[in-house]
Amino acid sequence: MICVALPGLAVSTERGQLTGQGLEGFYRAGRRLLSRCRLRVAGREPLAVQAWMTGADRARFVGTLRISPHAGPDPDVVVERVRHADGTERITLHSAAPRPLRLPVEIALGTDLAALAAIASGTPGPEVPASVHDAGLRWSRGAAASSVTADPPPADALASAGLLRWELDLSPGGSASVELRVRPDGPEPVRAVGHPATSPLARADASGDDPGVRALLRACVDDLQALLLRDPAHPADVYPVAGAPWRCGLAPADALAAARMALPLGTRLATGTLRVLARTQLTGAGRQYGMIPGPRRDAGGLLPPGCTGTEATLLFPALLAEARRWGMPEHETAELLPAAERCLTWLRITVGDGTYLSDPQPGGPVRCETQAHAHRAAVLGADLLDACGRPGGAELREWARALRPAFRTDFWVDDLGGGRPAAARGPDGRPLPHLGAAAVHLLDTGLLGGGESAPGLLDRVQTGHLARLLGSPAMDSGWGLRGLAAKEAGYNPFGHRGGAVRTHETAIAVAGLAAAGYEKEAGALLRGVLAAAGAFGHRLPEMYAGERRTDGSAPLPHPAACRPAATAAAAGVLLLTTLAGIRPDAPAGTVTLRPVRSAPLGEITLNGLRVAGAPFSVRVSRLGLAMVEEAAEGLRLRA
């Protein structure tokens, strides 16, 4: 159970006790401040009864105790623990006994002050000796230090044993509480983004025939909010980290993808993310001028690692162009335009006189998904440059126009079923024909003015073949889209690029299939991932096993998945808003609705979205008809 309000993190098992095993503990900015927090009342540990997440940043644990040995099977005391990601825990004892109780309470505390990376690799190191400090205990090792204070102060504090002790009096039916505060010593490296009042995300809500839509949207917005961090040097700029607990830092490609899918919640997150990444852009002389750096990413067993910097550099202008359509103010667009121009310059220089963009460097494989990202960047980038009165749009549009027929020939592998897009072309030009979820990026063409979808790399017939393949049992696990088709060599249902369901790619598939008119396949994937969300308590993980769904089964968690993850949380937003087909053009003062006519979830209402800087609400009926119920003044519905 992971409570997140970055830079704070609390990881617990459902028993509630922090034992120091595995990942358990309170964290701040990637360091474990407290690893053990074991409660004993009257010499006994509470019997764990129930645990659940009450929000993205907090969990509630309930246990019981029998204090009187001759009172029968009923508990005398109910123990409630509410644990927050910010390092606060409130322990409350509720008496159900018919007589007053005086209860000795002990809390055993300890920590190794280990970095998250060391804990993940299994080398956290020994516990650090404690010292008595104020109303609690303190630990220090090198430059790292943390402390726990208690309210009320303990009656006794034993540094050698790491113990705090109280004597609590409970009247019949009464309660008593102890609150612990875990804090790092020294200055805070970053500040928490804060609560919904200052969030860059609209507090959207959903309702409808499917009771899961409200819980899903609420959990997705909460998780995305919990994963936001401020730029320490520019606190007004907020961006999403990749996910917890493993990737609580900036991952450029993931941050841009999440901000793009979250555009229905407003453009402020996109603005902050773009500003933060613009400061990382390479501007020195050389072939990498204009590139946004990013680490290599494993691509599974069939391709070498890819460069997430390439993906981020191509996503940057696409996000800026679409954010402008959703209502990003013109002065913010103008501020970020030079960085987008540098990204597009990098694209043209790197491609040179060739047709394709190699990844990560010339001489490497020519990946299908990279061409999709590059084509979208060129088309949307040209649209952005033209709209802002900047040169370069015609050259980008010409390259994209030449890329389409070449791609349709060079990347299409014919077979008896009608063919499929190749995953990549090797350095020798031969196609690698395996079918994987990376092909969904071919359906994600982007948004132009007037609510029109940008042209894609596939023609209509090829798009139909791809839709059929994505909807086949080999790709659709029943819980979402597999990363690699089950019939392919090397398929592994737990392979993070070789068969596991990746929530982000499933959402892109649903949106792309719906936009292309393949509603049957889109609806099946949508229902599958929503069923998986219910099994995960509506907190979608980054990925989960691609095993086939059967009657009475549940999706299998992936042990290395982040949960929550920014792309998964934002994917939930994209999944639900796809049902309404919202296509805004804020500069033109219009919005177009292209709902999913088959209404795979029945009636659904989405409230509190943001279009053109104002609240936007839309309802889709069981007949697949969309009606705007709230919108910015002057915003016109375009047919």
Side-chain angles (χ1 to χ4, degrees), residues 82-97:
V82 179
R83 184 168 295 153
H84 293 259
D86 65 2
T88 304
E89 177 162 340
R90 188 169 187 84
I91 301 169
T92 304
L93 309 183
H94 304 278
S95 173

Side-chain angles (χ1 to χ4, degrees), residues 167-256:
E167 292 283 341
L168 299 183
D169 293 311
L170 276 72
S171 60
S175 301
S177 297
V178 172
E179 185 169 278
L180 303 179
R181 289 185 172 272
V182 185
R183 293 290 182 268
D185 283 8
E188 289 281 350
V190 284
R191 291 190 292 121
V193 169
H195 293 290
T198 57
S199 172
L201 305 171
R203 300 301 297 181
D205 189 25
S207 60
D209 291 339
D210 188 323
V213 298
R214 168 167 285 170
L216 176 62
L217 185 57
R218 186 169 297 169
C220 287
V221 176
D222 284 349
D223 281 348
L224 198 53
Q225 165 71 23
L227 292 169
L228 300 183
L229 277 183
R230 298 183 187 275
D231 184 333
H234 302 83
D237 294 337
V238 173
Y239 62 91
V241 305
W246 312 109
R247 303 170 65 205
C248 292
L250 176 61
D254 285 2
L256 290 164

Side-chain angles (χ1 to χ4, degrees), residues 520-603:
K520 177 184 176 183
E521 293 81 0
L525 287 170
L526 173 64
R527 288 189 292 269
V529 76
L530 258 65
F536 287 114
H538 303 290
R539 170 179 265 187
L540 283 165
E542 172 190 15
M543 58 184 169
Y544 44 95
E547 287 205 341
R548 185 69 191 163
R549 180 180 180 181
T550 58
D551 289 344
S553 67
L556 294 176
H558 194 293
C562 286
R563 180 173 173 263
T567 53
V573 177
L574 177 61
L575 285 167
L576 295 182
T577 54
T578 291
L579 293 169
I582 307 166
R583 301 182 183 185
D585 187 354
T590 64
V591 63
T592 304
L593 300 179
R594 293 286 184 268
V596 178
R597 297 290 186 180
S598 56
L601 302 183
E603 184 173 298

Side-chain angles (χ1 to χ4, degrees), residues 95-477:
S95 173
R99 58 183 177 79
L101 297 176
R102 185 172 181 82
L103 299 176
V105 174
E106 287 185 348
I107 301 178
L109 305 169
T111 187
D112 47 25
L113 291 174
L116 182 58
I119 299 166
S121 65
T123 57
E127 282 199 355
V128 178
S131 60
V132 177
H133 175 73
D134 290 339
L137 299 174
R138 183 180 186 271
W139 301 265
S140 65
R141 181 170 62 189
S146 69
S147 62
V148 172
T149 56
D151 182 22
D156 198 7
L158 302 178
S160 59
L163 275 179
L164 302 182
R165 293 175 172 168
W166 294 261
E167 292 283 341
L168 299 183
D169 293 311
L170 276 72
S171 60
S175 301
S177 297
V178 172
E179 185 169 278
L180 303 179
R181 289 185 172 272
V182 185
R183 293 290 182 268
D185 283 8
E188 289 281 350
V190 284
R191 291 190 292 121
V193 169
H195 293 290
T198 57
S199 172
L201 305 171
R203 300 301 297 181
D205 189 25
S207 60
D209 291 339
D210 188 323
V213 298
R214 168 167 285 170
L216 176 62
L217 185 57
R218 186 169 297 169
C220 287
V221 176
D222 284 349
D223 281 348
L224 198 53
Q225 165 71 23
L227 292 169
L228 300 183
L229 277 183
R230 298 183 187 275
D231 184 333
H234 302 83
D237 294 337
V238 173
Y239 62 91
V241 305
W246 312 109
R247 303 170 65 205
C248 292
L250 176 61
D254 285 2
L256 290 164
R260 183 171 175 239
M261 290 187 289
L263 282 172
L265 304 179
T267 62
R268 287 175 57 199
L269 180 59
T271 300
T273 303
L274 290 167
R275 283 175 176 162
V276 168
L277 291 177
R279 299 183 191 111
T280 73
Q281 192 173 36
L282 302 177
T283 56
R287 62 190 303 169
Q288 291 187 322
Y289 171 85
M291 190 176 191
I292 295 172
R296 297 288 180 92
R297 179 169 59 202
D298 184 74
L302 301 175
L303 284 170
C307 178
T308 62
T310 297
E311 185 178 337
T313 306
L314 299 172
L315 280 171
F316 190 105
L319 173 58
L320 181 59
E322 290 192 329
R324 178 175 174 271
R325 296 292 176 195
W326 279 88
M328 178 183 283
E330 290 297 335
H331 71 276
E332 292 179 356
T333 304
E335 171 197 346
L336 292 161
L337 186 60
E341 289 182 288
R342 289 190 288 271
C343 292
L344 296 168
T345 298
W346 172 85
L347 170 60
R348 290 300 301 126
I349 291 175
T350 305
V351 171
D353 295 330
T355 304
Y356 300 114
L357 179 64
S358 298
D359 181 29
Q361 297 294 340
V366 180
R367 301 172 199 262
C368 171
E369 63 187 295
T370 301
Q371 310 322 303
H373 292 314
H375 181 266
R376 183 177 58 239
V379 174
L380 269 62
D383 182 63
L384 176 67
L385 295 176
D386 289 352
C388 296
R390 299 292 299 162
E395 184 182 7
L396 288 165
R397 208 172 272 110
E398 180 182 352
W399 173 75
R401 191 178 298 116
L403 176 62
R404 289 194 282 273
F407 183 93
R408 291 166 186 173
T409 300
D410 296 341
F411 271 81
W412 195 256
V413 181
D414 288 317
D415 58 30
L416 295 177
R420 65 177 64 187
R425 297 178 74 216
D428 59 0
R430 287 188 295 181
L432 304 178
H434 62 268
L435 176 64
V440 303
H441 296 285
L442 294 170
L443 302 175
D444 181 16
T445 61
L447 179 65
L448 295 177
E452 295 298 322
S453 295
L457 283 174
L458 299 181
D459 62 28
R460 184 165 182 79
V461 173
Q462 291 171 334
T463 299
H465 284 307
L466 178 57
R468 177 183 53 79
L469 290 169
L470 295 179
S472 70
M475 286 298 292
D476 183 357
S477 70

